[in-house]
Every structure is written in structure tokens, then in C-alpha cells.
């Protein structure tokens, strides 16, 4: 059996058996969607139906909310000696790390499907065609892979599972300081500029553009560039840390 597929199956089983990880990765984004759209949606004036505005940002939140479990799982394998056992068994480093990332991406996709189901139930009506939906899927996969590698690197670098979980918190909070909930130009000074130039805003605007059927080339290029940069940093950081600590 392929070592990578074996690692993916192992990591998915570990995530599924952890109720906290399942809640954070799948149920929490749904709760956030319900809270912001159904309970608070009328409080936001964004020029369109709020569910249509918020859904792209919630998709990004769905990716980020599962990262804590990934970081903790990566750290637990490192600090509890599991990875050293894999090395004795001659399991390739690439299989161990890729398994973590792929399992994270699979959980992200499940969370996004659940989120979109709730969004449609709340009135989400995108103008996207087939090509636009395929582009949305491509952006989501690129985002999930890039932050997956970065999160695995954070987990491997942390001293304990507890600190690994805390290390992923900024990635979970960053979408709230972007255009996910409200447009950046409605924010106060300082926060507005931060929201405009942080990496998640162009990614959200790219998703929003494709779902509306009106993608902006500048947003797409920035989103792809940020995702590639995060993926490259995360990959080499994770590989280097694995080599040093294992």
C-alpha cells in the first residue's frame, strides 16, 4: 500500500475520533454562518444580501477553523515519538508530512460542503457558472494546501500540543480582520489598512468575484501569489523542522 495513502487514512481517523477537532473544523463554521447571517445579518449594510456577501468569507473561515487540530496532531506525533517510529519503519518523510496536509484538506472540503448547504438554506444565490465554480474549487484547494503546510510547520515547531494549538490561533483570527465580515472601507483607521493588505482579503475577494461571476484579475493574481508564498514557506519550514527534530 502507498505510504502516503496510509498516512492520510491514519490522520483522518485520528481527526474524526477527536470530537473537539470535528466541532472546530466542521460544526463551528456552520455556527458562525448561522450567527452572522441569520442573527446579525440585518445589522450589516453591504449593498447586497448579506448572505451573498458573507459566504465567501465563511468559506475561508471554514478552512481556518480546522487548523488547530492539524497543528496539534502534527506536534503530538513529533513530541510523543511517533515520527521516530515511522523513521525506524522506513516510512518516507514526504508521506508523513503530506498525509497531514491531505487529511487537513479533506476535512476542509467536508466543512465547506456543510457550510454551503447552510448558506443555500439561508438564501445564498450565487451568479457563478460552471467555470466559476471550478475556479472557486481551485482557489479553495490552493488555499487549503498552502495553510495546511504552514500549519503542519507550526505544529512541528511547537514545544507541546498545547502550544501548537495556540500557535494556530492567529490564522483563525486573521479572517476577522479582513473583508470576510464587512468591507474593509467600513473599518476604522489602522484596521482598514491592515485588512486591505493582509493575505486573506484578496483570497476572499477572489472567491467573492467568482461566486458573483465577476472576478477581478488583480484579486486573482494576489490570491494565487499569497497562497503560493504561504505554501512554499510552510513546505520548507515543515521539511526543515522535521529533519532537525525527528
Amino acid at each position: 500500500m502507498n505510504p502516503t495513502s496510509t498516512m492520510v487514512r491514519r490522520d483522518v481517523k485520528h481527526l474524526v475520533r477527536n470530537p473537539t477537532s470535528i466541532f472546530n473544523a466542521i460544526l463551528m463554521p456552520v455556527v458562525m454562518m448561522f450567527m452572522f447571517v441569520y442573527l446579525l445579518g440585518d445589522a450589516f449594510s453591504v449593498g447586497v444580501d448579506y448572505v451573498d456577501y458573507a459566504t465567501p468569507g465563511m468559506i475561508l473561515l471554514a478552512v481556518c477553523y480546522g487548523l488547530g487540530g492539524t497543528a496539534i496532531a502534527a506536534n503530538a506525533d513529533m513530541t510523543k515519538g511517533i515520527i521516530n517510529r515511522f523513521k525506524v519503519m522506513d516510512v518516507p518523510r514526504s508521506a508523513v508530512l503530506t498525509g497531514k496536509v491531505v487529511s487537513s484538506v479533506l476535512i476542509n472540503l467536508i466543512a465547506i460542503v456543510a457550510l454551503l448547504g447552510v448558506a443555500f438554506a439561508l438564501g445564498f444565490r450565487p451568479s457563478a457558472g460552471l467555470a466559476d465554480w471550478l475556479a472557486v474549487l481551485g482557489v479553495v484547494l490552493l488555499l487549503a494546501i498552502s495553510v495546511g503546510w504552514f500549519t503542519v510547520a507550526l505544529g512541528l515547531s511547537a514545544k507541546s500540543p498545547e502550544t501548537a494549538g495556540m500557535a494556530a490561533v492567529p490564522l483563525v483570527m486573521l479572517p476577522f480582520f479582513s473583508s470576510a465580515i464587512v468591507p474593509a472601507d467600513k473599518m476604522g483607521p489602522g484596521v482598514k489598512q491592515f485588512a486591505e493588505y493582509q493575505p486573506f482579503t484578496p483570497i476572499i475577494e477572489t472567491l467573492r468575484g467568482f461566486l458573483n461571476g465577476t472576478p477581478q484579475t488583480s484579486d486573482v493574481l494576489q490570491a494565487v501569489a499569497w497562497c503560493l508564498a504561504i505554501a512554499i514557506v510552510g513546505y520548507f519550514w515543515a521539511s526543515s523542522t522535521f529533519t532537525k527534530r525527528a
Side-chain angles (χ1 to χ4, degrees), residues 1-229:
M1 183 177 291
N2 186 291
T4 300
S5 62
T6 301
M7 291 296 104
V8 171
R9 289 175 55 194
R10 171 186 177 271
D11 291 324
V12 169
K13 286 181 179 179
H14 283 191
L15 287 173
V16 169
R17 290 172 181 172
N18 187 331
T20 302
S21 295
I22 291 298
F23 178 81
N24 288 338
I26 298 177
L27 296 181
M28 192 62 184
V30 170
V31 171
M32 296 296 291
M33 166 65 81
F34 186 81
M35 183 178 71
F36 277 103
V37 173
Y38 189 73
L39 299 181
L40 303 175
D42 290 341
F44 300 108
S45 177
V46 294
V48 296
D49 288 344
Y50 188 68
V51 66
D52 293 329
Y53 179 87
T55 297
M58 294 297 161
I59 290 175
L60 189 141
L61 274 171
V63 173
C64 291
Y65 264 102
L67 299 180
T70 300
I72 292 171
N75 183 269
D77 281 356
M78 178 63 75
T79 56
K80 294 180 180 180
I82 303 298
I83 287 179
N84 285 328
R85 296 179 189 177
F86 289 152
K87 291 187 70 176
V88 172
M89 297 165 62
D90 200 27
V91 176
R93 175 184 64 184
S94 59
V96 177
L97 298 180
T98 303
K100 297 290 183 191
V101 175
V102 173
S103 64
S104 174
V105 172
L106 292 176
I107 296 297
N108 288 156
L109 292 178
I110 294 172
I112 290 170
V113 170
L115 179 79
L116 288 175
V118 173
F120 279 109
L122 293 175
F124 179 49
R125 298 296 181 266
S127 303
L130 177 60
D132 295 315
W133 276 109
L134 291 175
V136 168
L137 177 60
V139 173
V140 167
L141 287 174
L142 184 59
L143 170 65
I145 291 169
S146 62
V147 296
W149 275 112
F150 194 81
T151 305
V152 169
L154 284 175
L156 294 176
S157 301
K159 294 182 179 180
S160 68
E162 291 76 16
T163 55
M166 289 300 298
V169 169
L171 289 175
V172 177
M173 296 301 299
L174 200 57
F176 291 98
F177 297 90
S178 69
S179 61
I181 309 301
V182 294
D185 59 13
K186 291 182 176 293
M187 300 177 183
V191 179
K192 173 184 175 180
Q193 286 72 25
F194 179 81
E196 289 175 342
Y197 294 105
Q198 64 125 309
F200 285 165
T201 292
I203 296 171
I204 293 169
E205 293 304 321
T206 296
L207 292 172
R208 190 169 284 136
F210 281 123
L211 289 171
N212 292 334
T214 57
Q216 301 295 315
T217 302
S218 60
D219 289 331
V220 175
L221 293 177
Q222 289 182 66
V224 172
W226 272 115
C227 286
L228 291 177

Side-chain angles (χ1 to χ4, degrees), residues 226-245:
W226 272 115
C227 286
L228 291 177
I230 294 170
I232 291 170
V233 170
Y235 173 79
F236 284 105
W237 184 12
S239 298
S240 174
T241 304
F242 184 97
T243 301
K244 291 178 180 177
R245 296 194 63 182

